[in-house]
Amino acid sequence: NGAGKTTLFNVITGHQAANSGDVRLLGRSVSRYGVHRRAQLGLSRTFQKLEAFNSLSARDNVLVAAEMQSGLRNPGKLTDEILARVGLSNVAEITVGTLPTGTARLVELARALAARPRALLLDEASSGLTEEETNAVGDLLKQLVAEDGLAVLLVEHDMSFVMNTCSQIHVLDFGQIIAAGSPKEVQAD
């Protein structure tokens, strides 16, 4: 706690101004752009504190993001595909506020994916998930990277999840990187 992980995400996504440096997406500086423009260019995120539309169904939560995509002819189709990919088809019509925390967190992930990101930032993605759900999310993230070319930046305290999911790890301590490398390299550091 207090290492600067969420602050880093806030700076990358434009929720907080950087003191220095430059945020780049696909080789392009986005530092001067607001949150909305960065999202349009392909940055999507989830939050450490669950951010969902609790009065809407799981499907409608995801549909909100799908409908924001310019040029998308059938946002409902994209929504249903993402719900299936994340394993939420069976709860699609249930109000998010009545879902268990882990399932609601998966809705938030699905909504982030409906934005069709190039880079996905996940803040405490396994928080509230069962071990089975955590493993499924890890498998999904690896699949999204391998098949879709999605860049994923994960802030996480569950070291088993991190070691089994990530190809590169950077350990922060009060805003400073104190270790970096593959899971094997970081474990040996």
Side-chain angles (χ1 to χ4, degrees):
N1 293 333
K5 304 174 301 290
T6 298
T7 300
L8 175 64
F9 272 24
N10 288 340
V11 169
I12 291 170
T13 58
H15 287 89
Q16 186 173 337
N19 292 335
S20 63
D22 189 31
V23 177
R24 302 182 73 75
L25 178 64
L26 302 171
R28 176 182 184 179
S29 176
V30 297
S31 294
R32 294 180 185 213
Y33 297 143
V35 175
H36 183 72
R37 182 71 178 126
R38 291 180 198 203
Q40 286 177 324
L41 293 172
L43 279 176
S44 189
R45 76 172 289 183
T46 64
F47 294 84
Q48 182 175 8
K49 180 182 174 283
L50 184 61
E51 297 286 338
F53 302 115
N54 288 326
S55 63
L56 298 179
S57 70
R59 186 176 194 281
D60 286 344
N61 262 269
V62 179
L63 186 60
V64 165
E67 288 178 338
M68 298 292 293
Q69 303 312 303
S70 62
L72 185 61
R73 291 193 173 151
N74 192 342
K77 181 180 179 196
L78 175 65
T79 296
D80 293 336
E81 289 170 356
I82 290 171
L83 286 168
R85 194 165 192 186
V86 178
L88 294 172
S89 296
N90 61 329
V91 298
E93 299 307 324
I94 297 176
T95 303
V96 171
T98 65
L99 293 172
T101 301
T103 306
R105 193 161 293 280
L106 294 175
V107 171
E108 187 183 35
L109 170 60
R111 190 180 60 218
L113 292 173
R116 301 191 309 188
R118 301 295 307 268
L120 176 64
L121 287 70
L122 303 174
D123 199 347
E124 305 288 345
S126 74
S127 178
L129 300 182
T130 66
E131 184 176 348
E132 182 179 314
E133 290 169 331
T134 299
N135 291 337
V137 168
D139 291 343
L140 173 63
L141 294 177
K142 289 186 275 191
Q143 183 183 42
L144 290 167
V145 169
E147 294 175 10
D148 299 359
L150 182 64
V152 178
L153 183 58
L154 175 69
V155 164
E156 187 59 60
H157 288 280
D158 181 339
M159 286 302 101
S160 177
F161 179 48
V162 169
M163 295 300 168
N164 291 324
T165 304
C166 299
S167 59
Q168 290 291 309
I169 298 170
H170 298 268
V171 182
L172 284 176
D173 183 37
F174 295 102
Q176 300 297 312
I177 296 175
I178 60 170
S182 69
K184 187 178 274 190
E185 290 169 329
V186 169
Q187 285 176 325
D189 187 332

